[in-house]
Amino acid sequence: MDISQAAHLFKRVAIPDAFLNKTAGRSWGGDIRIGDLTGDGTVDFLVYKALGGIHPCFLGAFSLEGEQLWSLGDKHLEINDADSKDTSLTTLSPDRPGPVAIYDIDADGQSEVICFWIDSEISKASKWDLSAVRLMILDGATGAVKHSVVSDELQQCNAYVNGELHIPNYVHQRLMIANLSGNEQPQDFVVKVGVNILAFNHKLELLWQHTDRWFRYPKHSAYIPAIGDFNDDGLDEVNGGNFGLGADGTVLWDKYLGDNIDSVLVETWDGKKRAILSGGGQVVNAEGNPVFSLGFDIVPHGQEIRHGNVLSDSTPNLVIRYNGHHPDLIVIDNAGEIRSRFRVDETPNNTGLEIIRWNGLGNPELIYSPAALYDGEGNKVVTFPDLPPPTGGKMGWYHCFPADVCGDAREEIVLYDPYSDTVYIYTPHPFNPDQYEGYQHTARQYNARLID
């Protein structure tokens, strides 16, 4: 029986017309990032598009009211395809949520945009390498370029390993904010491109580089590594699944830990920060040795794994999409026991798992899977009114940011379809605008998992 309740539609934010493209009569914006770009205490939005679906080439910033703040680049950029003399690379919605982040990287009290950026002056480019891509840091309020660097090490990154094209690993490009240098707040970031992991500081200086040797499907490392201090040294480490890296790039472990380690986390388990792996439902220590494992009989294909408090009597919990690109979830209590096993709604890619603090801290959290909220027992408890059907296709579903947008200590959900023209924000009932205390920007937003 469906016992779901409808959420309150807090805001429907139209992406400015100047930032939209049209394909076959449909207007679309692209991938979205959220953060307080202007410093006024409210959430803003950044939409971006990418040449060939990989290389960012257009950014458009807009407010919670849908007002245009600034834009950069060419939303109609087209460049000759270096891999085919008869075709061009055109500007598309990104193939996956990619290398764009909003964060105060230079600790000046104002947000910046950190991103890859295509050199639009070149005559041709390949979507399968970064030879024409630079790193940039932009002023969040104006879009003005604060730093721009051509990194030889970054430009050498590509989708090939020993002459073989490995597309799934390459398209999951990501920037992850990290504290590698011991500053009062994180001022570094880690870049993941294919088998390459690179670390940069806020001046865009390369700190170190690592090459992942676990790339062949299904014995690959995580598509998107996770950042966090899991050896208790006060600095962040990198959990890549089959590898772990210290803040200085030192290899902590480098070994095969199982098939389909698609998704990884750094979260608290058994009272300590641990590296958590979707493959086999594993939790490992700072040497990569398991301290807990469900096993591959229970988790044959760990597509996504999330950590939260979705049960009332046993926390923390793990929520795992355990059977690949299928709607099958399990919930694990803090003793490692399976507490529920259920199916969520089907979506084109069957990804998009998140944990939402819908009822505020100290209360059981809910599980987002496009596009509804489920409790720890698998009941669909929240639906979203006035949410149009998604556009469909592999990425054409509602991606989710958990965020305290209303500033009332509860998390809202920010939903967007990258092939659509509107952002939807839902909040729990009852909604009281007098409780608004400002948007809170945390690692749950600037290092959002998005998809795996």
Side-chain angles (χ1 to χ4, degrees):
M1 181 175 66
D2 187 356
I3 58 172
S4 62
Q5 299 179 0
H8 173 74
L9 179 57
F10 169 66
K11 189 75 71 171
R12 180 190 290 108
V13 186
I15 300 173
D17 288 343
F19 299 166
L20 298 174
N21 286 47
K22 287 190 176 181
T23 303
R26 179 186 292 274
S27 296
W28 56 271
D31 198 23
I32 296 286
R33 294 291 182 272
I34 68 173
D36 182 2
L37 292 169
T38 61
D40 66 353
T42 61
V43 69
D44 300 303
F45 304 90
L46 187 73
V47 65
Y48 79 94
K49 310 172 199 292
L51 185 73
I54 295 290
H55 304 324
C57 65
F58 175 84
L59 297 168
F62 57 104
S63 72
L64 183 62
E65 304 305 322
E67 297 171 343
Q68 181 176 338
L69 300 176
W70 53 264
S71 64
L72 183 69
D74 181 358
K75 68 179 185 179
H76 298 297
L77 183 64
E78 185 172 340
I79 291 178
N80 291 329
D81 188 348
D83 300 311
S84 175
K85 64 180 181 180
D86 299 322
T87 62
S88 298
L89 295 179
T90 57
T91 298
L92 305 169
S93 182
D95 288 352
R96 295 289 197 285
V100 178
I102 297 175
Y103 177 73
D104 180 13
I105 193 71
D106 58 10
D108 67 349
Q110 300 294 319
S111 292
E112 284 80 41
V113 175
I114 309 102
C115 64
F116 288 7
W117 196 251
I118 186 72
D119 180 358
S120 62
E121 302 301 318
I122 61 174
S123 60
K124 61 181 180 180
S126 170
K127 67 184 295 182
W128 305 124
D129 67 50
L130 301 190
S131 61
V133 169
R134 64 174 54 236
L135 282 170
M136 291 204 311
I137 297 177
L138 311 177
D139 181 271
T142 67
V145 178
K146 300 181 75 168
H147 298 286
S148 179
V149 168
V150 173
S151 165
D152 291 339
E153 293 84 359
L154 184 67
Q155 290 197 329
Q156 291 170 14
C157 296
N158 57 56
Y160 294 88
V161 185
N162 299 328
E164 295 181 353
L165 191 64
H166 290 262
I167 294 175
N169 197 21
Y170 176 76
V171 297
H172 289 85
Q173 299 176 7
R174 196 61 61 91
L175 303 178
M176 295 157 288
I177 308 303
N179 189 347
L180 307 176
S181 303
N183 297 307
E184 290 187 7
Q185 71 176 60
Q187 286 189 254
D188 312 299
F189 61 97
V190 173
V191 169
K192 185 270 180 185
V193 182
V195 299
N196 299 284
I197 310 296
L198 301 92
F200 293 87
N201 63 20
H202 65 283
K203 299 177 182 178
L204 301 183
E205 298 168 331
L206 181 71
L207 300 176
W208 49 259
Q209 182 175 0
H210 174 78
T211 301
D212 176 24
R213 65 191 180 102
W214 304 101
F215 57 84
R216 194 171 299 280
Y217 186 89
K219 303 183 187 303
H220 56 277
S221 297
Y223 288 131
I224 305 167
I227 303 297
D229 182 10
F230 56 74
N231 68 358
D232 201 29
D233 66 351
L235 301 173
D236 284 332
E237 288 77 51
V238 179
N239 172 18
N242 287 325
F243 66 88
L245 306 175
D248 60 356
T250 299
V251 176
L252 302 177
W253 75 84
D254 183 6
K255 56 187 176 183
Y256 171 68
L257 291 175
D259 285 358
N260 300 117
I261 301 179
D262 291 7
S263 174
V264 294
L265 306 170
V266 177
E267 297 286 357
T268 300
W269 192 260
D270 67 1
K272 298 180 180 179
K273 286 283 187 178
R274 298 292 195 186
I276 300 175
L277 323 178
S278 64
Q282 300 179 73
V283 180
V284 304
N285 63 19
E287 292 76 42
N289 298 318
V291 297
F292 168 74
S293 177
L294 285 170
F296 287 87
D297 289 340
I298 295 174
V299 186
H301 184 150
Q303 186 65 39
E304 294 177 286
I305 191 165
R306 297 293 179 263
H307 172 281
N309 300 323
V310 301
L311 301 173
S312 60
D313 62 341
S314 175
T315 59
N317 314 124
L318 298 178
V319 181
I320 309 175
R321 193 182 298 268
Y322 64 91
N323 193 28
H325 287 276
H326 294 280
D328 305 308
L329 302 185
I330 53 174
V331 173
I332 311 301
D333 67 18
N334 67 0
E337 300 296 325
I338 298 174
R339 293 289 293 271
S340 61
R341 187 189 299 264
F342 56 96
R343 291 171 66 86
V344 293
D345 292 339
E346 286 270 4
T347 55
N349 202 44
N350 281 319
T351 51
L353 190 65
E354 298 295 345
I355 300 294
I356 313 294
R357 296 168 182 166
W358 189 251
N359 298 307
L361 292 174
N363 294 304
E365 298 162 356
L366 298 180
I367 302 163
Y368 173 83
S369 187
L373 297 180
Y374 300 80
D375 66 19
E377 296 179 352
N379 300 305
K380 184 191 292 186
V381 293
V382 178
T383 57
F384 307 112
D386 302 317
L387 186 67
T391 55
K394 193 168 187 179
M395 293 293 106
W397 43 270
Y398 283 103
H399 302 230
C400 172
F401 285 99
D404 184 4
V405 170
C406 296
D408 60 0
R410 303 178 299 179
E411 279 187 339
E412 285 65 49
I413 64 165
V414 179
L415 300 180
Y416 71 97
D417 176 343
Y419 302 135
S420 187
D421 59 2
T422 306
V423 177
Y424 297 85
I425 305 174
Y426 288 90
T427 192
H429 285 294
F431 170 62
N432 184 356
D434 294 335
Q435 292 182 330
Y436 185 85
E437 295 181 356
Y439 164 71
Q440 306 296 316
H441 195 55
T442 73
R444 286 172 62 77
Q445 292 77 49
Y446 60 73
N447 280 347
R449 299 304 304 171
L450 296 172
I451 67 165
D452 299 286

